[in-house]
Amino acid sequence: MASKTAPVTRFAPSPTGFLHIGGVRTAIFNWLFAKANGGSFLLRIEDTDKSRSTPEAVEAIISGLEWMGLNSDAEPVFQATRAKRHQEIANQLLNTGHAYRCYSSQAELAVMRERAEKQGLPRAYDGTWRERSEEDAPPDVAPVIRFKAIHSGTSTIVDEVQGSVARPNETSDDLIILRADGSPTYNLSVVVDDHDMGVTHVIRGDDHLNNAFRQKQIYEALGWKLPTYAHIPLIHGSDGAKLSKRHGALGVEAYREMGYQAEAIFSYLIKLGWSEGDEDYVSRARALKLFNLEGIGRSPSRLDLDKLKSTNKIVQDSMSATELMAAARKFSNSDLDVETIAMINKAACAIQERSATLQDVCKHFDFFTAQPPLLLDEKASKALDEGGKQILTKIRAKLDAIHDWSHENVTDAIKGFASDNELKVGKVFQPLRAALTGTMASPGVSEMMIAFGKKKTLVHIDFASS
C-alpha cells in the first residue's frame, strides 16, 4: 500500500495592514491540519500590491504569528520576488494556446462592462481578442495577457468544507494574468506559488471560492495537480453583519496589548466554526489530536468578545497566582521594587480571582504603588463621609492592637468591631476599602490589609480619616 503524502498548507496574507483576527483563525486551521497529519505549514507574503504593502505590516504579520506559536516550517516566501517565474508561466500558457494577448483599450472595456450589465451577460469582457490575429493590433499599445477560459460545460470543485460545488463555465472570465507592464495578477501568482511550494491543501476563507474555479482552469491548462480545497466560512460580528472594527475586528497585536493570552485566542478561534468537542477551553495539544476539516461548519460564526474574555480567564486561572503576577509585570514592563512585588504576591490569589486579562491584573498594581492621600472615585468618596471616617477612627485602635498580623486575626478584629458597634460587617468594609484603594472595586479588604501589612494599613487609615 502506498504511503499517504504528508500535507503541506500555507497561510498567505497581504501585508497591507494588521494581522486580522479572521486571518489568525485561517492560519490556525492551516497550522493545525498540517501538524495533526505530520505535514508542513508555510507562510507566503503576498506583497505584489506595492502601493499598499509596507514593511511594518510584514513585521506585524510575522511577529503576530510567532506570538501565536504558528511558526512557518520554512523561510517566508515573498510573492513579489517571484515575478519572473509568474511571467514565465504566463508565456507558457500563451505558447500553448491557453492564453492570448489583448489590446482592448480602457474605453472599450468600459463599453463592454456597461453592455454586459444592461444585457445580463455572464461575462464583462466579450472576448474581442480571443481569436483575433495580432496583425490587427493597434500600434504602440502594450497588451495584457488574458487566460483563455473554458466557456462551455460545468466545473465542479469537491471542497472539504463546502462539499461538491458546481458552476457553469459560461460565467468564467478570460481573466488577465499578466498586466501591460508585465506584472502578474493574483490568480496566476497564487496557482504558480502554491504549485512550486508543494501546497497540497488550500484552506482559506469562502470569499475565495469563486477564485477556486478560476484557478482550477489554470491548473488544468498547465497539467498540474489541483490541491485539495477547504473554504471556511467567514467570521461575522455579534449582530451577524460583516466583521469590522466596531465588532472587535482588530489586529492580533491589539489583543496582545489588551493582555490576552495567545493560548486563549488559539482556543477561542478554533472553537469559532469548528464543532468537535464541547469543552470551553481546548489546549493546543488536545486540538492537535482532535482537529479535522470535517468538523468545520458551513455557516458563518460570530465573534463574541465576552466569550473570548472568559476563555482567557480559564487560561489565566490555570496558572499559579505568582506565575500570573510575574507575567503581568513583564506585560506591563513595570519597574517595581522588591517590597511592592512582595505585597502584590501576598494578594496574588485575590487579584487572580478578579482578573480576566493581564491588563486587569496590572490595574490592581496601582493599589500597591499609590501613596496616600489617594485620589478617590465617587463611590469611595461617599464611603468616606463623616460616618465612614468615624468608623475608621474607632477601628484603628483595635487594628493597632493586633500583634500577629494574620488574615484570621485581622478578619476577627473587623467582625468583632462590627458586632460591638452593632454594625453590619459590610458597613465596616466600605470605608476600609476606600481608605486602602481609593475605589470600591478591589480585591477583598482583608486580603489587601494582609498584603499591605500593619504599618501601611494604618497609614492609609490615618490619611483617610483625617
Side-chain angles (χ1 to χ4, degrees), residues 215-286:
Q215 292 161 16
K216 180 176 188 287
Q217 288 204 16
I218 297 175
Y219 271 104
E220 291 171 344
L222 291 166
W224 292 347
K225 183 179 179 181
L226 193 72
T228 298
Y229 285 117
H231 288 89
I232 59 179
L234 302 181
I235 301 173
H236 286 181
S238 55
D239 56 1
K242 184 178 179 181
L243 195 61
S244 65
K245 285 187 178 180
R246 68 186 174 89
H247 298 113
L250 308 173
V252 70
E253 73 276 6
Y255 290 95
R256 184 179 186 177
E257 290 167 4
M258 287 188 287
Y260 284 88
Q261 307 270 359
E263 291 307 302
I265 296 174
F266 186 99
S267 173
Y268 175 73
L269 289 179
I270 63 171
K271 296 287 290 181
L272 204 59
W274 180 63
S275 60
E276 298 296 321
D278 56 3
E279 305 97 329
D280 289 330
Y281 168 72
V282 180
S283 70
R284 192 174 299 240
R286 181 156 176 73

Side-chain angles (χ1 to χ4, degrees), residues 104-339:
S104 296
S105 67
Q106 290 301 315
E108 290 170 331
L109 292 171
V111 171
M112 293 179 201
R113 283 193 294 270
E114 185 176 352
R115 181 171 62 245
E117 186 175 338
K118 285 183 179 179
Q119 298 180 9
L121 300 175
R123 297 181 298 277
Y125 179 67
D126 65 6
T128 295
W129 288 93
R130 185 177 170 102
E131 303 296 343
R132 190 173 177 182
S133 172
E134 290 191 30
E135 292 179 359
D136 298 332
D140 304 321
V141 174
V144 300
I145 296 179
R146 288 183 181 272
F147 179 71
K148 188 179 286 188
I150 298 171
H151 292 159
S152 61
T154 301
S155 288
T156 300
I157 289 177
V158 179
D159 191 276
E160 293 295 302
V161 175
Q162 303 296 329
S164 182
V165 184
R167 194 182 78 170
N169 288 329
E170 66 175 351
T171 62
S172 300
D173 280 317
D174 284 5
L175 55 91
I176 296 172
I177 57 175
L178 211 63
R179 300 182 183 92
D181 63 1
S183 61
T185 58
Y186 172 78
N187 281 294
L188 175 69
S189 299
V190 166
V191 169
V192 176
D193 291 346
D194 282 345
H195 172 267
D196 289 359
M197 293 170 68
V199 173
T200 62
H201 291 73
V202 174
I203 305 169
R204 59 188 178 186
D206 61 7
D207 53 334
H208 282 286
L209 187 55
N210 283 336
N211 283 329
F213 285 97
R214 299 182 178 111
Q215 292 161 16
K216 180 176 188 287
Q217 288 204 16
I218 297 175
Y219 271 104
E220 291 171 344
L222 291 166
W224 292 347
K225 183 179 179 181
L226 193 72
T228 298
Y229 285 117
H231 288 89
I232 59 179
L234 302 181
I235 301 173
H236 286 181
S238 55
D239 56 1
K242 184 178 179 181
L243 195 61
S244 65
K245 285 187 178 180
R246 68 186 174 89
H247 298 113
L250 308 173
V252 70
E253 73 276 6
Y255 290 95
R256 184 179 186 177
E257 290 167 4
M258 287 188 287
Y260 284 88
Q261 307 270 359
E263 291 307 302
I265 296 174
F266 186 99
S267 173
Y268 175 73
L269 289 179
I270 63 171
K271 296 287 290 181
L272 204 59
W274 180 63
S275 60
E276 298 296 321
D278 56 3
E279 305 97 329
D280 289 330
Y281 168 72
V282 180
S283 70
R284 192 174 299 240
R286 181 156 176 73
L288 284 168
K289 292 180 180 179
L290 295 176
F291 187 77
N292 54 61
L293 296 176
E294 293 80 7
I296 299 175
R298 297 185 186 181
S299 300
S301 47
R302 298 191 180 191
L303 184 67
D304 184 340
L305 294 181
D306 290 336
K307 182 65 175 176
L308 173 58
K309 183 168 281 191
S310 67
T311 303
N312 200 74
K313 181 157 179 58
I314 292 173
V315 174
Q316 285 199 171
D317 286 351
S318 70
M319 304 167 68
S320 71
T322 52
E323 180 185 10
L324 178 60
M325 297 306 109
R329 293 199 306 274
K330 183 177 180 181
F331 165 77
S332 65
N333 198 25
S334 300
D335 187 18
L336 303 176
D337 57 42
V338 174
E339 184 179 353

Side-chain angles (χ1 to χ4, degrees), residues 422-438:
E422 298 182 347
L423 296 171
K424 291 184 177 180
V425 174
K427 190 69 174 177
V428 181
F429 276 149
Q430 289 176 4
L432 280 171
R433 187 187 298 274
L436 295 172
T437 67

Side-chain angles (χ1 to χ4, degrees), residues 7-13 19 27-28 30-32 34-35 39-45 58 61-78 197 199 284:
V8 177
T9 65
R10 50 74 164 175
F11 178 54
L19 179 56
I28 289 173
N30 276 279
W31 184 90
L32 270 176
K35 298 303 176 182
S40 301
F41 168 72
L42 305 177
L43 173 63
R44 182 170 72 237
I45 304 295
V58 172
I61 289 169
I62 293 175
S63 64
L65 291 174
E66 287 178 350
W67 180 64
M68 288 295 302
L70 304 173
N71 297 308
S72 174
D73 291 309
E75 288 297 312
V77 171
F78 288 84
M197 293 170 68
V199 173
R284 192 174 299 240

